[in-house]
Amino acid sequence: MTSLSSQPHIQPPWWRDERILKIVLQVAFVIAVLVVFGILTQNLTSSLRRLGITFGFRFLGNSANFGITEGIPYDPSESYLKAFVVGVLNTIWLSSISIVLATVMGMILGVARLSSNWLARQLATIITEIFRNVPVLLIVIFWYQGVILTLPAVRNSYSIGGFFFISQRGINLPSLDPSWWLIPTVVILAGAAWGIRKLLLAHRPDVGSIQRNSLVVLGVLLLAVACWILFPESPLRIDIPVLDRFNFRGGTQLSAEFTAMMLGLVTYTGCYIAEVVRGSFLAVQRGQWEASRAIGLTELGTFQLVIVPQALRIMIPSLNTQYLTLIKNSSLAIAVGFSDLFNISSTIINQSGRSVEMFGIIMATYLSMNLVVSYGMNWINDRVKLVER
């Protein structure tokens, strides 16, 4: 009797070999992609040749000849490249502050939706459902035309403590004006914090970490006050806006367009983040609460030390998605006239006719910003995720 192992292995023909078929399909897919890319490139080249346009980026050095109302110092006689940089920085500024505020709003709404307080839970639910189910463009226009433009004029602006002023021109708030004495002050305070901590560890090892950190903070604050008093010039001066004849002087102004865009992005994305936060807390097993009570932790201690760390690990990947969406939604700033990356690029396209090059630059810029944010969030996720042994 012949055993199965002694029978010769029959090799299937190549058109039925699974390994060869996988390789053939992958090669065919790559060839198809290259063919489509070649056809599109040939079509683009033919169209540009027919219009008498040569592909290139030298036009970025030409004079822009249009004004930009917000951003870093800029003159219309400067180049398209400088105008584009102003737009990029405005987009980064808008996205950064919107991400921070949307995260704060989302955290508050998400926790409120889980609250045992009926009124807080219902209010959070209503706010979340309204702004989450309305297009972000409508929300931005609502804030701009329905709220900000209906505010009083500058001379009758709302004042908050004499420091913040809200009018139809936007928000005026105090700004920080650093002097050259700020650098030595920071160096002295950093050295003092390091020295106080070392002294406490060397001479008072019995002091707990919370008490030690409190003593370090107290020492740094006292030294900061001494620097402010003893230095010939204040290291950091607070510039408070003052109402002048036609507008505010000093401080920082957030224009009506910037404020509307920021509020639109914050309310829209904040409601999605609220759902992410709520779902992350609900995903923590109920047994974690019971186990924490069993070892004597209070409700607040359980929330801070057990629930929040586990929920944070769950919500970070979803927060990354919301942040990327917020950055892409910032391109809607053109609807209210805020000088962001897309708005300024559109003006450059209208003046130069270089739509292909500019759209390529716009896509590459948004891609770069989103990759940086994704890398940062993935780095945080790697630091907080559980490492299974």
Side-chain angles (χ1 to χ4, degrees):
M1 182 176 179
T2 305
S3 64
L4 292 176
S5 59
S6 62
Q7 293 180 356
H9 179 68
I10 302 175
Q11 185 72 22
W14 68 268
W15 63 85
R16 293 177 57 189
D17 192 327
E18 185 178 352
R19 294 172 301 174
I20 296 177
L21 289 177
K22 286 181 179 178
I23 295 174
V24 170
L25 287 175
Q26 293 180 45
V27 171
F29 179 77
V30 173
I31 292 174
V33 171
L34 292 176
V35 169
V36 172
F37 182 75
I39 293 173
L40 294 175
T41 304
Q42 179 64 28
N43 182 54
L44 173 64
T45 307
S46 302
S47 300
L48 291 176
R49 191 184 301 116
R50 189 166 54 251
L51 295 172
I53 300 175
T54 305
F55 185 84
F57 297 95
R58 290 185 177 179
F59 71 96
L60 291 174
N62 297 339
S63 178
N65 293 323
F66 63 87
I68 300 176
T69 55
E70 295 187 58
I72 61 174
Y74 161 82
D75 189 82
S77 61
E78 295 187 87
S79 64
Y80 285 133
L81 181 60
K82 178 65 179 296
F84 181 78
V85 170
V86 175
V88 172
L89 295 178
N90 285 346
T91 295
I92 292 175
W93 165 239
L94 172 65
S95 301
S96 301
I97 193 169
S98 298
I99 284 174
V100 173
L101 295 178
T103 304
V104 173
M105 177 181 171
M107 291 289 179
I108 295 173
L109 287 178
V111 173
R113 291 203 66 181
L114 298 172
S115 172
S116 57
N117 186 297
W118 181 87
L119 181 60
R121 190 172 63 252
Q122 296 303 319
L123 283 176
T125 302
I126 292 172
I127 294 172
T128 303
E129 293 303 325
I130 288 177
F131 287 106
R132 198 164 62 99
N133 293 291
V134 176
V136 61
L137 179 60
L138 293 182
I139 297 175
V140 172
I141 294 175
F142 162 75
W143 282 115
Y144 185 61
Q145 296 190 350
V147 177
I148 295 177
L149 293 185
T150 60
L151 290 172
V154 173
R155 301 201 66 81
N156 299 319
S157 58
Y158 297 128
S159 173
I160 303 176
F163 295 97
F164 299 87
F165 300 91
I166 303 174
S167 68
Q168 59 183 212
R169 290 190 182 180
I171 302 175
N172 291 80
L173 62 162
S175 63
L176 298 176
D177 185 14
S179 69
W180 288 107
W181 289 95
L182 179 62
I183 297 176
T185 303
V186 172
V187 173
I188 292 173
L189 295 182
W194 181 82
I196 295 172
R197 184 179 178 81
K198 283 292 183 184
L199 285 174
L200 289 174
L201 287 174
H203 299 285
R204 293 294 305 274
D206 56 317
V207 175
S209 60
I210 297 177
Q211 189 177 0
R212 183 169 55 245
N213 292 333
S214 301
L215 291 172
V216 171
V217 172
L218 179 62
V220 170
L221 287 177
L222 292 175
L223 192 58
V225 173
C227 291
W228 250 260
I229 296 174
L230 299 177
F231 283 172
E233 187 179 358
S234 176
L236 197 62
R237 191 168 56 87
I238 300 177
D239 189 9
I240 300 174
V242 178
L243 182 60
D244 207 345
R245 188 174 180 184
F246 298 109
N247 204 348
F248 284 95
R249 174 171 46 83
T252 298
Q253 182 180 28
L254 304 180
S255 68
E257 293 77 17
F258 177 89
T259 306
M261 197 62 214
M262 180 188 68
L263 290 174
L265 292 176
V266 169
T267 48
Y268 182 77
T269 310
C271 291
Y272 276 94
I273 292 178
E275 288 300 284
V276 171
V277 172
R278 187 173 70 94
S280 300
F281 280 114
L282 290 177
V284 178
Q285 295 181 359
R286 188 65 186 172
Q288 297 291 320
W289 287 91
E290 298 168 355
S292 301
R293 292 193 190 98
I295 61 175
L297 286 177
T298 62
E299 291 287 333
L300 182 60
T302 302
F303 187 76
Q304 290 179 339
L305 302 176
V306 179
I307 304 302
V308 170
Q310 296 185 64
L312 194 62
R313 297 188 183 104
I314 301 172
M315 72 177 69
I316 284 180
S318 299
L319 287 178
N320 185 19
T321 304
Q322 297 305 321
Y323 294 161
L324 301 185
T325 304
L326 185 148
I327 293 174
K328 289 181 284 188
N329 284 338
S330 68
S331 61
L332 295 173
I334 194 173
V336 292
F338 176 66
S339 301
D340 76 321
L341 159 64
F342 187 72
N343 191 1
I344 292 178
S345 299
S346 299
T347 306
I348 295 175
I349 291 173
N350 291 333
Q351 290 197 0
S352 65
R354 299 286 186 165
S355 57
V356 176
E357 293 91 337
M358 283 308 301
F359 276 117
I361 296 174
I362 294 170
M363 293 171 65
T365 306
Y366 277 115
L367 177 63
S368 302
M369 289 192 290
N370 284 339
L371 288 178
V372 169
V373 173
S374 293
Y375 179 80
M377 294 300 293
N378 289 334
W379 182 83
I380 296 174
N381 190 37
D382 288 339
R383 295 298 181 278
V384 301
K385 73 179 180 182
L386 286 175
V387 180
E388 298 183 358
R389 301 179 184 277

